[in-house]
Amino acid sequence: MKTKRTLISIITLCAALSLTACNGSGSATTENSQKTQTESTTEAVDNSNTKLDDLYQQENQIFADHQDVWNKVFGMMNKSSADPNGDYADYLASAVESNKESFTDDELKTLNDDIETIRQIEKQISEIENNNTGSESTDQNDSSEEITPFKSFSGKDLDGNSVDESLFSNNAVTVVNFWFTGCKPCVAELSKLNELNDAIKSMGGEVVGINTETFDGNEDAIKEAAAILDNQGAKYRNISIDSDSSIGKYASDIMAFPTTILVDRNGNIVGEPMLGGIDNQDNYDSLMKQIKSVIDADNKDK
């Protein structure tokens, strides 16, 4: 089972490397000092990223070890179950607690034990990320506005055709669904997503899938994803993106799969992410209501 983060942010590394762009008019001693500082900072960032990667993998392994019961949990999640922006362990605990009647005693024990382990891992992650905050703050202060993760968007569909930002500008609304092959709730909603795509085409909308296992053009993962889509009768576009792109980093912070977001014509995310499959009729109706709202707003702007 995949969890919220499988990729490492390289913001701090970029900040460290930017030190080498200083004006070259200083003395040789100053240049050597800067070089030493840069190398030291870069090494520290590399070490922290290595530790983060190991911690994320520990979390991933927990979900993999108890995949069946965690699949049940993630399949029950929706945007109203808990705050996905809060503490991750609390988020998981809330989802389990609100659906505890759906689990056996043994399953609940497994889930609660896993959550406590994740809580300890999250504390270590938080400490490392807090230590990196100083390096990131300089970059963040350079811009007072949040940049959409779809800025300079690029990727390829599963047939190898290039896709760019025109994907969004050509639609009043684009429904972006994040999924992965081993996620049963993700696969379960594929046919419903295809139905949604057909329903909103005439309204100026489109459904697009991003399978997180197909990142960086992973050919084996692309073939597997394409086969599943075909088996489920899902004909809408699915796109492979680079893991180090803005949207790749955005996807790495997703807590639960499937997650679906709405993107307007300008590439901006509209509203809150929807967690959980739209094969649930309530979720489908809620998403359709949001879609129509974005399309209405787009028509008013014309």
Side-chain angles (χ1 to χ4, degrees):
M1 185 72 189
K2 288 202 172 182
T3 184
K4 57 173 181 172
R5 289 168 294 196
T6 56
L7 311 170
I8 301 297
S9 170
I10 60 171
I11 294 175
T12 52
L13 179 57
C14 291
L17 293 178
S18 68
L19 295 173
T20 62
C22 296
N23 190 296
S25 61
S27 67
T29 300
T30 301
E31 291 175 352
N32 289 336
S33 176
Q34 290 173 339
K35 180 178 180 181
T36 301
Q37 181 182 3
T38 300
E39 290 175 348
S40 176
T41 304
T42 302
E43 182 179 358
V45 170
D46 287 343
N47 289 338
S48 66
N49 281 349
T50 298
K51 291 177 182 178
L52 281 173
D53 187 45
D54 179 63
L55 292 169
Y56 297 152
Q57 292 306 317
Q58 289 181 41
E59 287 189 345
N60 287 343
Q61 190 59 50
I62 290 172
F63 292 107
D65 289 343
H66 305 126
Q67 181 176 355
D68 288 344
V69 67
W70 277 111
N71 270 339
K72 288 174 63 175
V73 176
F74 280 86
M76 294 171 181
M77 284 181 173
N78 58 57
K79 67 177 183 178
S80 63
S81 63
D83 178 11
N85 297 313
D87 181 89
Y88 190 44
D90 288 345
Y91 173 70
L92 295 174
S94 177
V96 171
E97 177 64 23
S98 62
N99 296 284
K100 63 182 181 180
E101 69 280 356
S102 301
F103 304 104
T104 66
D105 290 343
D106 287 343
E107 287 176 331
L108 282 173
K109 183 179 186 308
T110 296
L111 291 170
N112 288 325
D113 288 347
D114 284 352
I115 289 170
E116 287 310 306
T117 302
I118 289 170
R119 192 181 302 280
Q120 297 307 311
I121 293 173
E122 285 293 308
K123 288 181 180 179
Q124 297 178 65
I125 290 173
S126 179
E127 289 176 1
I128 294 173
E129 290 180 337
N130 287 338
N131 289 335
N132 289 339
T133 299
S135 299
E136 295 179 3
S137 61
T138 300
D139 286 348
Q140 292 171 348
N141 289 337
D142 289 340
S143 174
S144 60
E145 296 182 359
E146 182 180 356
I147 299 176
T148 171
F150 294 99
K151 180 78 173 178
S152 302
F153 179 84
S154 65
K156 290 186 177 181
D157 66 25
L158 301 193
D159 291 323
N161 300 307
S162 295
V163 181
D164 58 24
E165 288 175 287
S166 64
L167 165 68
F168 307 107
S169 61
N170 290 336
N171 297 321
V173 61
T174 305
V175 182
V176 183
N177 174 258
F178 295 93
W179 68 291
F180 67 95
T181 305
C183 168
K184 293 180 181 178
C186 300
V187 175
E189 71 166 344
L190 293 178
S191 61
K192 195 68 175 180
L193 285 166
N194 194 72
E195 177 184 322
L196 177 66
N197 186 53
D198 291 341
I200 65 177
K201 277 182 180 178
S202 61
M203 302 161 60
E206 180 180 1
V207 174
V208 170
I210 295 181
N211 182 303
T212 58
E213 292 176 329
T214 66
F215 281 6
D216 303 316
N218 186 319
E219 293 184 3
D220 290 339
I222 288 173
K223 289 179 181 178
E224 187 175 5
I228 290 176
L229 288 162
D230 183 62
N231 184 59
Q232 296 296 318
K235 306 298 183 183
Y236 58 90
R237 275 197 286 188
N238 270 255
I239 300 172
S240 171
I241 58 178
D242 290 337
S243 59
D244 63 353
S245 65
S246 295
I247 187 58
K249 293 172 185 176
Y250 175 87
S252 75
D253 283 331
I254 292 176
M255 288 185 171
F257 291 82
T259 286
T260 302
I261 61 174
L262 301 185
V263 182
D264 68 14
R265 193 180 297 277
N266 297 314
N268 297 313
I269 296 175
V270 182
E272 295 297 323
M274 170 168 285
L275 309 182
I278 64 166
D279 50 326
N280 175 302
Q281 191 61 42
D282 289 340
N283 284 354
Y284 183 92
D285 293 342
S286 176
L287 184 61
M288 181 61 81
K289 182 178 180 180
Q290 293 180 52
I291 290 170
K292 291 179 178 178
S293 177
V294 177
I295 292 174
D296 288 344
D298 182 79
N299 289 332
K300 290 180 181 179
D301 291 338
K302 290 180 178 178

